[in-house]
Amino acid sequence: MRMAVLGAGAWGTAFAKLLVDAGHDVALCARDAALAASIGRERRNPRYLPGVVLPSALRTTADPAEAVAAADVVLLAVPAQHLRASLTGWAPLLPPEAALVSLAKGIELGTCKRMSEVITEVSGRPLAQVAVVSGPNLAPEIAAEHPAASVVACVDSDRAAWLQTAFQTPYFRPYSNTDIVGCELGGAVKNVIALAAGMAEGMGFGDNTKASLLTRGLAEMARLGAALGAEPGTFAGLAGLGDLVATCGSPLSRNRVLGERLGRGETLAEAVADSRGTAEGCRPAGRCWRSLSGSECRCRSPRVWCGSATGGSGRGRWSRR
């Protein structure tokens, strides 16, 4: 099967490797022509996945038209806040029957739309042609072929099952789900909870605090999801609890690490200055979720927001008493 991954960050690169390992013809498209050439020549992506050797069969390019030509599946691996602008340029190039798969976990600032909503709006494709991948999938671990599982969600159950089979490798076990709303919300909301878990770690709080954050955070995620049309049970699975545990507990999680630095007293600008990736749980997502939980679905909102925790000024205002 022919597949294209648009976006050569850590997750896009890791997923492109996974797809080659699954036996597909894969093109990885980087925005930076120099990076694309370097990956193709060196078989490594030192900027985002240092130390990982990429398959020789992986094709690389900086030309999205070349990448998506005749593709059966196009995977969108750009940060949530850049998806609309990127897809606007890519949409005319996409094969009409290709499945469009979002690898991003976040909510669009300003519109509060999920990634599948952005994709259908910009591409003009029906929702049944769009899928999302969500679960405990830290890119360096997937690239290192550590055993992991995930969820492929699509409202078309046949397409979800087809993609589930297509993405499977000896080390990566996808499950299919038709609750695309729940899977996307789980992947986005856990980023905010992970910031709080990192803050607790940075401030020196113990496991009781972090366990309380995760447990109550999960309950509030499920309430928010149900109010927005998701199945509450989705949040007890890989796209909810699984992703939450990995993101809140791992030093590989950008959101957790950012929260930890804020908890130690760094400003937001200081904390993000040397980050190689995007922490989707930061202020944009926090503002969107505050809007969703307060004005639209009328449910009790999550207790911890990045905007509140930084006091709007970029410096943590919690104190350890």
Side-chain angles (χ1 to χ4, degrees), residues 25-53:
D25 177 7
V26 183
L28 175 64
C29 183
R31 180 178 58 181
D32 183 345
L35 177 62
S38 174
I39 295 173
R41 183 177 60 254
E42 305 295 334
R43 297 288 110 191
R44 299 175 186 272
N45 186 343
R47 187 180 303 177
Y48 296 107
L49 278 180
V52 175
V53 178

Side-chain angles (χ1 to χ4, degrees), residues 3 12 20 37 61 72 76 79 81 92 95 101 105 107 157 188 201 205 209-210 229 263 280 286 289 295 318:
M3 301 192 181
V20 174
T61 180
D72 301 294
L76 306 170
Q81 304 311 318
V101 181
K105 297 177 180 178
I107 298 297
S157 60
E201 179 71 25
F205 292 122
T209 305
K210 286 174 280 188
E280 296 283 10
W289 284 113
S295 63
W318 294 353

Side-chain angles (χ1 to χ4, degrees), residues 194-246:
L195 279 170
M199 290 175 188
E201 179 71 25
M203 296 166 66
F205 292 122
D207 292 335
N208 289 340
T209 305
K210 286 174 280 188
S212 299
L213 276 170
L214 266 66
T215 305
R216 296 312 308 161
L218 180 63
E220 293 172 348
M221 286 166 57
R223 282 203 298 269
L224 177 60
L228 293 173
E231 293 290 335
T234 297
F235 297 91
L238 289 165
L241 177 60
D243 203 358
L244 182 68
V245 170

